[in-house]
Amino acid sequence: MARVAIVTGGTRGIGRAICERLKADGFTVVANYGGNDEKAKQFSAETGIAVRKWDVGDHQACLDGCAKVTEEVGPVEVVVNNAGITRDGTLHKMSFDDWNEVMRINLGGCFNMAKACFPGMRERGWGRIVNIGSINGQAGQYGQVNYAAAKSGIHGFTKALAQEGARVGVTVNAIAPGYIDTDMVAAVPEPVLEKIVAKIPVGRLGQAEEIARGVSFLCSEDAGFVTGSTMSINGGQHMY
Ligand code: CAA
């Protein structure tokens, strides 16, 4: 039977590419999403991938959502923590709410989803967790103390949980994307983005599919000895 994979924030951008790739790899994919019903409906119609709506920053919603997926689709064997938001601004302009929302969703979401799915993976002796970090969690970024802190936290979370999963067949890895051609990056003011792209050695933004290929490898049987690692996919922008 096909293994069940949940991809959070799976209906758009990098998440969508990951869903499509994992489906092509033979997983039964469920795409979680948080807000945009219209886009989710369109995604499901175009890809044939099931969608489920809940807020990954809400602990109980993750427990309930994953329990429902287990009941209706099957035990969750792969989790890709991709859901994330930005609330960019320099510290002196950033509100406490901007800080909290980014921490709650981007970092809290990883904890909430792991709490929901890691125990079952342990019991069954197999699992794959892939957390989407960021170049900006590795290198920092002007105007992103909230996002950089949350993404940096994801890298620490990954290495800690990898140690807990290693003996029970559960690998936990991160991918640190650079600037990828998505709505999130398109929201960066054009002159700022131009300067950023000028510093990418390969001379272009990345494509969502280029991240999805990395996730595909980390979720495969071939990656059983890879755990606690961070795969940087950033066009050479930050070598870490
Ligand atoms: N280093 C040093 N100084 C910088 C700087 C930098 N990287 N970027 C801007 N500044 C300076 C500017 O030159 C400007 O100085 P002057 O007034 O002397 O000219 C000053 O800081 C204010 O800059 P802005 O006009 O840009 O300030 P703002 O308040 O209008 O906007 C901002 C601030 C919202 C942070 C804006 O600069 C911005 O959006 N930056 C991009 C942040 C970014 O890269 N976000 C990534 C989103 S995508 C993502 O996060 C995905 C992923 O994982 C990669």
Side-chain angles (χ1 to χ4, degrees), residues 39-216:
K39 279 270 160 66
K41 225 169 143 186
Q42 190 187 337
F43 160 85
S44 196
E46 287 171 6
T47 61
I49 293 172
V51 292
R52 296 282 191 287
K53 185 178 186 177
W54 71 81
D55 173 2
V56 295
D58 180 335
H59 187 69
Q60 193 58 46
C62 286
L63 299 181
D64 294 345
C66 292
K68 213 151 176 246
V69 170
T70 299
E71 195 186 304
E72 294 171 1
V73 189
V76 180
E77 298 191 274
V78 174
V79 172
V80 182
N81 284 312
N82 165 74
I85 61 164
T86 51
R87 293 279 186 275
D88 292 355
T90 46
L91 180 81
H92 65 284
K93 290 185 195 161
M94 187 179 288
S95 69
F96 187 52
D97 194 48
D98 291 337
W99 165 264
N100 266 341
E101 272 302 275
V102 169
M103 296 304 283
R104 187 181 76 83
I105 293 172
N106 297 16
L107 183 56
C110 292
F111 175 79
N112 295 335
M113 289 299 293
K115 279 294 280 184
C117 301
F118 186 71
M121 293 177 180
R122 289 188 76 213
E123 276 166 27
R124 292 185 298 273
W126 197 94
R128 296 279 187 266
I129 297 178
V130 181
N131 301 316
I132 305 300
S134 168
I135 187 175
N136 294 346
Q138 297 171 310
Q141 169 62 32
Y142 184 99
Q144 282 201 312
V145 294
N146 51 2
Y147 187 88
K151 291 295 186 180
S152 192
I154 285 178
H155 295 302
F157 176 90
T158 299
K159 291 180 216 176
L161 190 59
Q163 294 179 30
E164 297 182 22
R167 291 288 169 90
V168 289
V170 182
T171 68
V172 186
N173 291 287
I175 290 190
Y179 282 73
I180 308 300
D181 190 6
T182 60
D183 291 347
M184 183 184 272
V185 167
V188 174
E190 212 176 309
V192 178
L193 189 57
E194 269 172 24
K195 281 189 200 155
I196 291 171
V197 175
K199 287 190 190 143
I200 302 175
V202 304
R204 63 169 175 86
L205 293 175
Q207 293 302 312
E209 292 71 22
E210 293 176 302
I211 305 303
R213 278 181 217 126
V215 175
S216 166

Side-chain angles (χ1 to χ4, degrees), residues 1-26:
M1 218 175 81
R3 297 188 188 278
V4 175
I6 296 184
V7 180
T8 69
T11 60
R12 300 194 294 137
I14 292 174
R16 177 180 176 136
I18 294 170
C19 283
E20 292 185 290
R21 178 69 199 221
L22 293 183
K23 184 183 177 196
D25 289 346

